[in-house]
PDB file of all heavy atoms in Angstrom:
ATOM      1  N   ALA A 279      15.237  -7.167 -12.327  1.00 98.00           N
ATOM      2  CA  ALA A 279      14.379  -6.621 -13.392  1.00 98.00           C
ATOM      3  C   ALA A 279      12.930  -7.071 -13.225  1.00 98.00           C
ATOM      4  O   ALA A 279      12.042  -6.618 -13.931  1.00 98.00           O
ATOM      5  CB  ALA A 279      14.901  -7.016 -14.768  1.00 98.00           C
ATOM      6  N   ASP A 280      12.706  -7.987 -12.294  1.00 98.00           N
ATOM      7  CA  ASP A 280      11.334  -8.404 -11.971  1.00 98.00           C
ATOM      8  C   ASP A 280      10.788  -7.651 -10.762  1.00 98.00           C
ATOM      9  O   ASP A 280       9.644  -7.846 -10.376  1.00 98.00           O
ATOM     10  CB  ASP A 280      11.311  -9.910 -11.680  1.00 98.00           C
ATOM     11  CG  ASP A 280      11.804 -10.709 -12.882  1.00 98.00           C
ATOM     12  OD1 ASP A 280      11.203 -10.559 -13.960  1.00 98.00           O
ATOM     13  OD2 ASP A 280      12.796 -11.442 -12.744  1.00 98.00           O
ATOM     14  N   GLY A 281      11.636  -6.841 -10.155  1.00 98.00           N
ATOM     15  CA  GLY A 281      11.216  -6.083  -8.976  1.00 98.00           C
ATOM     16  C   GLY A 281      11.759  -6.633  -7.673  1.00 98.00           C
ATOM     17  O   GLY A 281      11.579  -6.035  -6.624  1.00 98.00           O
ATOM     18  N   TYR A 282      12.438  -7.770  -7.730  1.00 98.00           N
ATOM     19  CA  TYR A 282      13.051  -8.294  -6.499  1.00 98.00           C
ATOM     20  C   TYR A 282      14.226  -7.385  -6.139  1.00 98.00           C
ATOM     21  O   TYR A 282      15.023  -7.021  -7.002  1.00 98.00           O
ATOM     22  CB  TYR A 282      13.520  -9.733  -6.707  1.00 98.00           C
ATOM     23  CG  TYR A 282      13.796 -10.448  -5.398  1.00 98.00           C
ATOM     24  CD1 TYR A 282      12.800 -11.180  -4.769  1.00 98.00           C
ATOM     25  CD2 TYR A 282      15.035 -10.342  -4.776  1.00 98.00           C
ATOM     26  CE1 TYR A 282      13.030 -11.801  -3.544  1.00 98.00           C
ATOM     27  CE2 TYR A 282      15.280 -10.955  -3.555  1.00 98.00           C
ATOM     28  CZ  TYR A 282      14.271 -11.680  -2.946  1.00 98.00           C
ATOM     29  OH  TYR A 282      14.514 -12.288  -1.728  1.00 98.00           O
ATOM     30  N   PRO A 283      14.341  -6.982  -4.871  1.00 98.00           N
ATOM     31  CA  PRO A 283      15.364  -5.964  -4.558  1.00 98.00           C
ATOM     32  C   PRO A 283      16.791  -6.471  -4.724  1.00 98.00           C
ATOM     33  O   PRO A 283      17.151  -7.503  -4.163  1.00 98.00           O
ATOM     34  CB  PRO A 283      15.084  -5.618  -3.092  1.00 98.00           C
ATOM     35  CG  PRO A 283      14.325  -6.773  -2.540  1.00 98.00           C
ATOM     36  CD  PRO A 283      13.560  -7.381  -3.684  1.00 98.00           C
ATOM     37  N   ARG A 284      17.582  -5.761  -5.489  1.00 98.00           N
ATOM     38  CA  ARG A 284      18.977  -6.157  -5.726  1.00 98.00           C
ATOM     39  C   ARG A 284      19.788  -6.107  -4.441  1.00 98.00           C
ATOM     40  O   ARG A 284      20.757  -6.837  -4.273  1.00 98.00           O
ATOM     41  CB  ARG A 284      19.599  -5.237  -6.777  1.00 98.00           C
ATOM     42  CG  ARG A 284      21.036  -5.594  -7.109  1.00 98.00           C
ATOM     43  CD  ARG A 284      21.582  -4.745  -8.244  1.00 98.00           C
ATOM     44  NE  ARG A 284      22.976  -5.066  -8.478  1.00 98.00           N
ATOM     45  CZ  ARG A 284      23.994  -4.525  -7.819  1.00 98.00           C
ATOM     46  NH1 ARG A 284      23.758  -3.603  -6.893  1.00 98.00           N
ATOM     47  NH2 ARG A 284      25.226  -4.880  -8.079  1.00 98.00           N
ATOM     48  N   HIS A 285      19.372  -5.229  -3.536  1.00 97.00           N
ATOM     49  CA  HIS A 285      20.151  -5.091  -2.295  1.00 97.00           C
ATOM     50  C   HIS A 285      19.774  -6.138  -1.240  1.00 97.00           C
ATOM     51  O   HIS A 285      20.294  -6.103  -0.131  1.00 97.00           O
ATOM     52  CB  HIS A 285      19.985  -3.677  -1.730  1.00 97.00           C
ATOM     53  CG  HIS A 285      18.561  -3.300  -1.484  1.00 97.00           C
ATOM     54  ND1 HIS A 285      17.820  -2.592  -2.420  1.00 97.00           N
ATOM     55  CD2 HIS A 285      17.729  -3.559  -0.468  1.00 97.00           C
ATOM     56  CE1 HIS A 285      16.591  -2.428  -1.947  1.00 97.00           C
ATOM     57  NE2 HIS A 285      16.508  -3.003  -0.770  1.00 97.00           N
ATOM     58  N   ALA A 286      18.879  -7.088  -1.565  1.00 98.00           N
ATOM     59  CA  ALA A 286      18.558  -8.148  -0.592  1.00 98.00           C
ATOM     60  C   ALA A 286      19.835  -8.915  -0.269  1.00 98.00           C
ATOM     61  O   ALA A 286      20.526  -9.388  -1.171  1.00 98.00           O
ATOM     62  CB  ALA A 286      17.507  -9.092  -1.165  1.00 98.00           C
ATOM     63  N   PRO A 287      20.186  -9.027   0.992  1.00 97.00           N
ATOM     64  CA  PRO A 287      21.476  -9.638   1.329  1.00 97.00           C
ATOM     65  C   PRO A 287      21.393 -11.151   1.484  1.00 97.00           C
ATOM     66  O   PRO A 287      20.302 -11.725   1.541  1.00 97.00           O
ATOM     67  CB  PRO A 287      21.806  -9.001   2.683  1.00 97.00           C
ATOM     68  CG  PRO A 287      20.478  -8.776   3.313  1.00 97.00           C
ATOM     69  CD  PRO A 287      19.499  -8.511   2.183  1.00 97.00           C
ATOM     70  N   HIS A 288      22.560 -11.763   1.584  1.00 96.00           N
ATOM     71  CA  HIS A 288      22.665 -13.170   1.953  1.00 96.00           C
ATOM     72  C   HIS A 288      21.804 -13.399   3.202  1.00 96.00           C
ATOM     73  O   HIS A 288      21.856 -12.611   4.133  1.00 96.00           O
ATOM     74  CB  HIS A 288      24.132 -13.486   2.285  1.00 96.00           C
ATOM     75  CG  HIS A 288      24.331 -14.880   2.795  1.00 96.00           C
ATOM     76  ND1 HIS A 288      24.615 -15.913   1.956  1.00 96.00           N
ATOM     77  CD2 HIS A 288      24.248 -15.398   4.047  1.00 96.00           C
ATOM     78  CE1 HIS A 288      24.713 -17.034   2.677  1.00 96.00           C
ATOM     79  NE2 HIS A 288      24.482 -16.742   3.947  1.00 96.00           N
ATOM     80  N   GLY A 289      21.001 -14.447   3.178  1.00 97.00           N
ATOM     81  CA  GLY A 289      20.186 -14.744   4.355  1.00 97.00           C
ATOM     82  C   GLY A 289      18.731 -14.336   4.216  1.00 97.00           C
ATOM     83  O   GLY A 289      17.896 -14.716   5.034  1.00 97.00           O
ATOM     84  N   THR A 290      18.401 -13.565   3.170  1.00 98.00           N
ATOM     85  CA  THR A 290      17.002 -13.202   2.938  1.00 98.00           C
ATOM     86  C   THR A 290      16.202 -14.492   2.724  1.00 98.00           C
ATOM     87  O   THR A 290      16.615 -15.357   1.948  1.00 98.00           O
ATOM     88  CB  THR A 290      16.892 -12.283   1.700  1.00 98.00           C
ATOM     89  OG1 THR A 290      17.699 -11.126   1.940  1.00 98.00           O
ATOM     90  CG2 THR A 290      15.452 -11.862   1.443  1.00 98.00           C
ATOM     91  N   PRO A 291      15.063 -14.657   3.425  1.00 98.00           N
ATOM     92  CA  PRO A 291      14.356 -15.936   3.343  1.00 98.00           C
ATOM     93  C   PRO A 291      13.693 -16.203   1.988  1.00 98.00           C
ATOM     94  O   PRO A 291      13.234 -15.273   1.323  1.00 98.00           O
ATOM     95  CB  PRO A 291      13.291 -15.828   4.441  1.00 98.00           C
ATOM     96  CG  PRO A 291      13.108 -14.373   4.678  1.00 98.00           C
ATOM     97  CD  PRO A 291      14.425 -13.714   4.361  1.00 98.00           C
ATOM     98  N   VAL A 292      13.658 -17.477   1.615  1.00 98.00           N
ATOM     99  CA  VAL A 292      13.047 -17.963   0.377  1.00 98.00           C
ATOM    100  C   VAL A 292      12.459 -19.340   0.695  1.00 98.00           C
ATOM    101  O   VAL A 292      13.026 -20.064   1.521  1.00 98.00           O
ATOM    102  CB  VAL A 292      14.136 -18.139  -0.722  1.00 98.00           C
ATOM    103  CG1 VAL A 292      13.547 -18.718  -1.991  1.00 98.00           C
ATOM    104  CG2 VAL A 292      14.849 -16.832  -1.020  1.00 98.00           C
ATOM    105  N   LEU A 293      11.356 -19.709   0.061  1.00 98.00           N
ATOM    106  CA  LEU A 293      10.820 -21.064   0.223  1.00 98.00           C
ATOM    107  C   LEU A 293      11.093 -21.864  -1.037  1.00 98.00           C
ATOM    108  O   LEU A 293      10.789 -21.413  -2.138  1.00 98.00           O
ATOM    109  CB  LEU A 293       9.300 -21.046   0.406  1.00 98.00           C
ATOM    110  CG  LEU A 293       8.664 -20.473   1.663  1.00 98.00           C
ATOM    111  CD1 LEU A 293       7.149 -20.697   1.597  1.00 98.00           C
ATOM    112  CD2 LEU A 293       9.236 -21.115   2.906  1.00 98.00           C
ATOM    113  N   VAL A 294      11.667 -23.071  -0.868  1.00 98.00           N
ATOM    114  CA  VAL A 294      11.827 -23.988  -1.999  1.00 98.00           C
ATOM    115  C   VAL A 294      11.086 -25.281  -1.658  1.00 98.00           C
ATOM    116  O   VAL A 294      11.371 -25.886  -0.617  1.00 98.00           O
ATOM    117  CB  VAL A 294      13.314 -24.282  -2.290  1.00 98.00           C
ATOM    118  CG1 VAL A 294      13.437 -25.286  -3.448  1.00 98.00           C
ATOM    119  CG2 VAL A 294      14.062 -22.995  -2.625  1.00 98.00           C
ATOM    120  N   ASP A 295      10.148 -25.656  -2.485  1.00 98.00           N
ATOM    121  CA  ASP A 295       9.279 -26.806  -2.189  1.00 98.00           C
ATOM    122  C   ASP A 295       8.729 -26.718  -0.762  1.00 98.00           C
ATOM    123  O   ASP A 295       8.658 -27.726  -0.046  1.00 98.00           O
ATOM    124  CB  ASP A 295      10.049 -28.132  -2.385  1.00 98.00           C
ATOM    125  CG  ASP A 295      10.209 -28.480  -3.861  1.00 98.00           C
ATOM    126  OD1 ASP A 295       9.430 -27.965  -4.696  1.00 98.00           O
ATOM    127  OD2 ASP A 295      11.117 -29.270  -4.179  1.00 98.00           O
ATOM    128  N   GLY A 296       8.383 -25.525  -0.365  1.00 97.00           N
ATOM    129  CA  GLY A 296       7.788 -25.329   0.961  1.00 97.00           C
ATOM    130  C   GLY A 296       8.780 -25.296   2.105  1.00 97.00           C
ATOM    131  O   GLY A 296       8.410 -25.083   3.254  1.00 97.00           O
ATOM    132  N   VAL A 297      10.062 -25.487   1.807  1.00 98.00           N
ATOM    133  CA  VAL A 297      11.097 -25.490   2.858  1.00 98.00           C
ATOM    134  C   VAL A 297      11.788 -24.136   2.862  1.00 98.00           C
ATOM    135  O   VAL A 297      12.178 -23.610   1.817  1.00 98.00           O
ATOM    136  CB  VAL A 297      12.142 -26.608   2.595  1.00 98.00           C
ATOM    137  CG1 VAL A 297      13.239 -26.589   3.659  1.00 98.00           C
ATOM    138  CG2 VAL A 297      11.459 -27.962   2.531  1.00 98.00           C
ATOM    139  N   ARG A 298      11.953 -23.615   4.067  1.00 98.00           N
ATOM    140  CA  ARG A 298      12.574 -22.307   4.184  1.00 98.00           C
ATOM    141  C   ARG A 298      14.084 -22.385   4.002  1.00 98.00           C
ATOM    142  O   ARG A 298      14.748 -23.157   4.686  1.00 98.00           O
ATOM    143  CB  ARG A 298      12.280 -21.797   5.578  1.00 98.00           C
ATOM    144  CG  ARG A 298      11.917 -20.368   5.635  1.00 98.00           C
ATOM    145  CD  ARG A 298      11.665 -20.073   7.099  1.00 98.00           C
ATOM    146  NE  ARG A 298      12.058 -18.734   7.314  1.00 98.00           N
ATOM    147  CZ  ARG A 298      11.204 -17.723   7.324  1.00 98.00           C
ATOM    148  NH1 ARG A 298       9.922 -17.938   7.176  1.00 98.00           N
ATOM    149  NH2 ARG A 298      11.629 -16.506   7.497  1.00 98.00           N
ATOM    150  N   THR A 299      14.605 -21.598   3.081  1.00 98.00           N
ATOM    151  CA  THR A 299      16.052 -21.518   2.937  1.00 98.00           C
ATOM    152  C   THR A 299      16.417 -20.058   2.668  1.00 98.00           C
ATOM    153  O   THR A 299      15.599 -19.183   2.941  1.00 98.00           O
ATOM    154  CB  THR A 299      16.561 -22.498   1.849  1.00 98.00           C
ATOM    155  OG1 THR A 299      17.989 -22.399   1.800  1.00 98.00           O
ATOM    156  CG2 THR A 299      15.976 -22.220   0.482  1.00 98.00           C
ATOM    157  N   VAL A 300      17.629 -19.820   2.177  1.00 98.00           N
ATOM    158  CA  VAL A 300      18.077 -18.430   2.091  1.00 98.00           C
ATOM    159  C   VAL A 300      18.701 -18.097   0.729  1.00 98.00           C
ATOM    160  O   VAL A 300      19.238 -18.963   0.030  1.00 98.00           O
ATOM    161  CB  VAL A 300      19.126 -18.100   3.181  1.00 98.00           C
ATOM    162  CG1 VAL A 300      18.510 -18.214   4.566  1.00 98.00           C
ATOM    163  CG2 VAL A 300      20.366 -18.968   3.051  1.00 98.00           C
ATOM    164  N   LEU A 301      18.637 -16.824   0.436  1.00 98.00           N
ATOM    165  CA  LEU A 301      19.315 -16.251  -0.717  1.00 98.00           C
ATOM    166  C   LEU A 301      20.827 -16.268  -0.465  1.00 98.00           C
ATOM    167  O   LEU A 301      21.261 -15.976   0.648  1.00 98.00           O
ATOM    168  CB  LEU A 301      18.822 -14.814  -0.852  1.00 98.00           C
ATOM    169  CG  LEU A 301      19.398 -13.904  -1.901  1.00 98.00           C
ATOM    170  CD1 LEU A 301      18.891 -14.341  -3.264  1.00 98.00           C
ATOM    171  CD2 LEU A 301      18.972 -12.471  -1.629  1.00 98.00           C
ATOM    172  N   VAL A 302      21.606 -16.623  -1.484  1.00 97.00           N
ATOM    173  CA  VAL A 302      23.058 -16.476  -1.363  1.00 97.00           C
ATOM    174  C   VAL A 302      23.566 -15.670  -2.567  1.00 97.00           C
ATOM    175  O   VAL A 302      22.996 -15.738  -3.649  1.00 97.00           O
ATOM    176  CB  VAL A 302      23.802 -17.841  -1.324  1.00 97.00           C
ATOM    177  CG1 VAL A 302      23.371 -18.668  -0.129  1.00 97.00           C
ATOM    178  CG2 VAL A 302      23.605 -18.624  -2.601  1.00 97.00           C
ATOM    179  N   GLY A 303      24.610 -14.917  -2.357  1.00 96.00           N
ATOM    180  CA  GLY A 303      25.208 -14.152  -3.451  1.00 96.00           C
ATOM    181  C   GLY A 303      24.327 -12.995  -3.889  1.00 96.00           C
ATOM    182  O   GLY A 303      23.273 -12.734  -3.310  1.00 96.00           O
ATOM    183  N   ARG A 304      24.774 -12.293  -4.917  1.00 97.00           N
ATOM    184  CA  ARG A 304      24.071 -11.114  -5.394  1.00 97.00           C
ATOM    185  C   ARG A 304      22.876 -11.465  -6.269  1.00 97.00           C
ATOM    186  O   ARG A 304      22.954 -12.362  -7.097  1.00 97.00           O
ATOM    187  CB  ARG A 304      25.012 -10.262  -6.228  1.00 97.00           C
ATOM    188  CG  ARG A 304      25.508  -9.074  -5.486  1.00 97.00           C
ATOM    189  CD  ARG A 304      26.185  -8.090  -6.412  1.00 97.00           C
ATOM    190  NE  ARG A 304      26.976  -7.182  -5.584  1.00 97.00           N
ATOM    191  CZ  ARG A 304      28.108  -6.635  -5.966  1.00 97.00           C
ATOM    192  NH1 ARG A 304      28.619  -6.897  -7.141  1.00 97.00           N
ATOM    193  NH2 ARG A 304      28.747  -5.823  -5.149  1.00 97.00           N
ATOM    194  N   VAL A 305      21.816 -10.730  -6.109  1.00 98.00           N
ATOM    195  CA  VAL A 305      20.670 -10.845  -7.013  1.00 98.00           C
ATOM    196  C   VAL A 305      21.094 -10.254  -8.352  1.00 98.00           C
ATOM    197  O   VAL A 305      21.623  -9.140  -8.400  1.00 98.00           O
ATOM    198  CB  VAL A 305      19.464 -10.064  -6.449  1.00 98.00           C
ATOM    199  CG1 VAL A 305      18.310 -10.047  -7.445  1.00 98.00           C
ATOM    200  CG2 VAL A 305      19.026 -10.640  -5.103  1.00 98.00           C
ATOM    201  N   SER A 306      20.904 -10.988  -9.446  1.00 98.00           N
ATOM    202  CA  SER A 306      21.223 -10.409 -10.752  1.00 98.00           C
ATOM    203  C   SER A 306      19.936 -10.006 -11.475  1.00 98.00           C
ATOM    204  O   SER A 306      18.861 -10.028 -10.889  1.00 98.00           O
ATOM    205  CB  SER A 306      22.130 -11.330 -11.561  1.00 98.00           C
ATOM    206  OG  SER A 306      21.643 -12.641 -11.617  1.00 98.00           O
ATOM    207  N   MET A 307      20.039  -9.612 -12.730  1.00 98.00           N
ATOM    208  CA  MET A 307      18.879  -9.004 -13.396  1.00 98.00           C
ATOM    209  C   MET A 307      17.719  -9.984 -13.544  1.00 98.00           C
ATOM    210  O   MET A 307      16.562  -9.641 -13.298  1.00 98.00           O
ATOM    211  CB  MET A 307      19.285  -8.472 -14.775  1.00 98.00           C
ATOM    212  CG  MET A 307      18.151  -7.749 -15.477  1.00 98.00           C
ATOM    213  SD  MET A 307      18.541  -7.246 -17.155  1.00 98.00           S
ATOM    214  CE  MET A 307      19.608  -5.859 -16.879  1.00 98.00           C
ATOM    215  N   ASP A 308      18.027 -11.208 -13.925  1.00 98.00           N
ATOM    216  CA  ASP A 308      16.979 -12.177 -14.262  1.00 98.00           C
ATOM    217  C   ASP A 308      16.966 -13.399 -13.357  1.00 98.00           C
ATOM    218  O   ASP A 308      16.118 -14.267 -13.504  1.00 98.00           O
ATOM    219  CB  ASP A 308      17.191 -12.668 -15.702  1.00 98.00           C
ATOM    220  CG  ASP A 308      17.452 -11.516 -16.632  1.00 98.00           C
ATOM    221  OD1 ASP A 308      16.562 -10.668 -16.754  1.00 98.00           O
ATOM    222  OD2 ASP A 308      18.568 -11.435 -17.187  1.00 98.00           O
ATOM    223  N   MET A 309      17.949 -13.501 -12.489  1.00 98.00           N
ATOM    224  CA  MET A 309      18.113 -14.697 -11.662  1.00 98.00           C
ATOM    225  C   MET A 309      18.605 -14.328 -10.283  1.00 98.00           C
ATOM    226  O   MET A 309      19.210 -13.283 -10.070  1.00 98.00           O
ATOM    227  CB  MET A 309      19.157 -15.630 -12.300  1.00 98.00           C
ATOM    228  CG  MET A 309      18.678 -16.332 -13.532  1.00 98.00           C
ATOM    229  SD  MET A 309      20.043 -17.207 -14.311  1.00 98.00           S
ATOM    230  CE  MET A 309      20.690 -15.962 -15.389  1.00 98.00           C
ATOM    231  N   MET A 310      18.396 -15.274  -9.374  1.00 98.00           N
ATOM    232  CA  MET A 310      19.035 -15.186  -8.067  1.00 98.00           C
ATOM    233  C   MET A 310      19.407 -16.602  -7.644  1.00 98.00           C
ATOM    234  O   MET A 310      18.920 -17.575  -8.224  1.00 98.00           O
ATOM    235  CB  MET A 310      18.108 -14.529  -7.058  1.00 98.00           C
ATOM    236  CG  MET A 310      16.745 -15.154  -6.992  1.00 98.00           C
ATOM    237  SD  MET A 310      15.588 -14.079  -6.126  1.00 98.00           S
ATOM    238  CE  MET A 310      15.802 -14.731  -4.510  1.00 98.00           C
TER     239      MET A 310
END
Side-chain angles (χ1 to χ4, degrees):
D280 301 302
Y282 196 91
R284 181 175 177 274
H285 56 265
H288 175 91
T290 302
V292 177
L293 292 184
V294 178
D295 284 339
V297 178
R298 222 180 148 98
T299 182
V300 296
L301 176 72
V302 299
R304 257 193 197 148
V305 174
S306 50
M307 184 185 285
D308 313 298
M309 287 172 271
M310 52 195 268

